[in-house]
């Protein structure tokens, strides 16, 4: 693409006068199931890669390396495709959304887990995102959340609570870490609403490159000033860094934005109710963690809530 990026919103073409936009067909929703499942699994793996990555790097340093590597890879792809980077107002909007979704969210998650918050509890707090994002989307995006969708969100969060509180012991030492997790929750909630409002049709390569590089510059400041660039480049660290950069940052966020382009914020965010259970399943499979009865019950409840949120009519 050699022409300058079009103005915001110019990619969206309204339906011809008198012809209503076609409703989503069941076959279309079925075709998107792989993308939705992949989003849940990839996002879940981010908690595991973060836990492993913190063994070798301080939280902001790990985040800066992750964002910079992913951003440079996408920048190279954009160069090969001869894509021009967004400019002006589009560039600013993309940078703001990237800082919120990437820098604020993930660096806060890493900082919270580094201060002692278990990965399961971290996943639980971020799983509140469906409620917070939906509440923000109502006044800012004029989205409507029906009683059935709200019930689905509440059921899903109830399942999340059952699944990830089993065996978790919370002490006062975790309180500062919980504050960072709350900041991360605010970041992804505000960021996805901002993304939906101002960057809904961004190019997945050049746009995500801008967002990741902006996020890397923001977290580079505390990584240098507060942590002194604390990282140990060992053979075991590189696979973790590559996974977090290429899979979590590029594939995971790309899937999130793709679904946000096609659906309401409340519908897409409800998928995050499955992330804690998916994290628990991956932990059991890869790290030998036990799945207890409350975890299994929570999985059923959260799945029911997510299905209700996706299929109820507004």
């Amino acid at each position: 693409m050699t022409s300058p990026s079009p103005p915001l919103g110019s990619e969206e073409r309204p339906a011809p006068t008198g012809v209503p936009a076609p409703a989503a067909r069941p076959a279309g929703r079925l075709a998107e199931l792989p993308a939705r499942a992949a989003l849940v699994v990839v996002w879940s793996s981010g908690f595991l890669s973060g836990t492993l990555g913190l063994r070798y790097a301080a939280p902001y340093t790990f985040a800066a390396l992750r964002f910079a590597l992913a951003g440079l890879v996408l920048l190279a792809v954009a160069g090969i495709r001869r894509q021009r980077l967004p400019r002006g107002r589009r560039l600013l909007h993309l940078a703001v959304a990237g800082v919120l979704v990437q820098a604020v969210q993930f660096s806060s998650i890493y900082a919270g887990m580094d201060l002692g918050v278990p990965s399961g509890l971290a996943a639980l707090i971020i799983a509140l995102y469906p409620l917070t994002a939906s509440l923000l989307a109502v006044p800012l995006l004029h989205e409507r959340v029906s009683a059935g969708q709200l019930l689905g969100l509440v059921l899903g969060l109830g399942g999340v609570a059952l699944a990830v509180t089993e065996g978790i012991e919370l002490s006062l030492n975790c309180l500062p870490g919980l504050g960072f997790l709350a900041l991360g929750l605010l970041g992804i909630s505000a960021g996805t609403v901002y993304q939906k409002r101002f960057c809904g049709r961004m190019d997945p390569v050049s746009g995500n490159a801008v967002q990741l590089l902006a996020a890397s510059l923001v977290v580079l400041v505390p990584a240098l000033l507060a942590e002194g660039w604390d990282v140990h480049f060992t053979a075991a660290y590189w696979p973790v860094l590559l996974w977090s950069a290429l899979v979590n940052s590029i594939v995971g966020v790309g899937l999130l934005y793709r679904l946000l382009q096609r659906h309401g914020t409340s519908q897409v965010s409800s998928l995050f109710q499955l992330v804690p259970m998916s994290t628990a399943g991956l932990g059991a499979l890869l790290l030998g963690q036990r799945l207890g009865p409350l975890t299994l019950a929570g999985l059923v409840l959260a799945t029911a809530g997510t299905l209700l949120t996706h299929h109820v009519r507004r």
Side-chain angles (χ1 to χ4, degrees):
M1 182 173 65
T2 57
S3 59
S5 300
L8 283 171
S10 63
E11 302 89 337
E12 299 181 12
R13 299 181 180 179
T17 305
V19 180
R25 296 180 179 178
R29 292 196 296 266
L30 185 62
E32 283 193 346
L33 283 179
R36 297 178 182 184
L39 174 64
V40 172
V41 174
V42 168
W43 216 272
S44 302
S45 72
F47 288 94
L48 300 183
S49 65
T51 300
L52 296 174
L54 292 174
R55 298 178 181 177
Y56 309 99
Y60 286 98
T61 303
F62 181 51
L65 286 168
R66 165 183 170 171
F67 302 149
L69 178 58
L72 291 174
V73 168
L74 287 178
L75 189 63
V77 174
I80 294 173
R81 295 171 59 181
R82 298 184 178 181
Q83 288 182 291
R84 286 188 179 181
L85 293 179
R87 300 177 181 178
R89 188 176 59 172
R90 286 178 61 84
L91 179 66
L92 178 61
H93 283 314
L94 287 169
V96 171
V99 168
L100 290 172
V101 173
Q102 298 275 10
V104 176
Q105 180 197 185
F106 291 112
S107 63
S108 299
I109 290 175
Y110 293 158
M113 292 195 299
D114 190 58
L115 290 172
V117 178
S119 59
L121 183 56
L124 168 63
I125 294 173
I126 300 302
L128 295 173
Y129 157 58
L131 282 180
T132 54
S134 295
L135 291 176
L136 288 174
V138 170
L140 297 179
L141 301 181
H142 307 292
E143 291 187 7
R144 298 178 60 187
V145 180
S146 67
Q149 286 179 306
L150 185 60
L151 176 60
L153 291 171
V154 173
L155 286 176
L157 290 174
V160 166
L162 281 176
V164 301
T165 55
E166 186 174 38
I168 289 180
E169 295 181 359
L170 181 62
S171 67
L172 293 178
N173 295 330
C174 289
L175 291 181
L178 292 177
F180 276 103
L181 266 298
L183 179 61
L185 174 63
L186 178 62
I188 187 175
S189 302
T192 50
V193 172
Y194 193 96
Q195 174 78 20
K196 179 77 173 179
R197 174 65 178 85
F198 296 105
C199 316
R201 293 291 182 179
M202 82 170 195
D203 181 84
V205 176
S206 61
N208 206 4
V210 168
Q211 293 191 335
L212 285 162
L213 292 175
S216 68
L217 291 176
V218 169
V219 297
L220 182 62
V221 176
L224 292 174
L225 298 182
E227 298 174 346
W229 198 248
D230 182 11
V231 59
H232 303 282
F233 290 104
T234 65
Y237 174 60
W238 283 107
V240 176
L241 177 60
L242 290 173
W243 181 272
S244 64
L246 303 182
V247 178
N248 296 142
S249 283
I250 295 178
V251 178
V253 176
L255 286 169
L256 172 64
Y257 288 167
R258 173 189 169 186
L259 291 173
L260 281 173
Q261 288 176 356
R262 299 175 61 88
H263 304 285
T265 306
S266 59
Q267 285 186 312
V268 177
S269 63
S270 67
L271 291 171
F272 282 74
Q273 293 172 343
L274 298 178
V275 169
M277 279 66 68
S278 178
T279 302
L282 290 175
L285 180 64
L286 301 176
L287 304 179
Q289 298 175 349
R290 185 180 66 88
L291 292 177
L294 289 181
T295 299
L296 296 176
L299 174 61
V300 173
L301 186 59
T303 301
T306 300
L307 290 175
L308 178 60
T309 303
H310 274 280
H311 291 286
V312 70
R313 294 182 63 86
R314 296 189 177 191

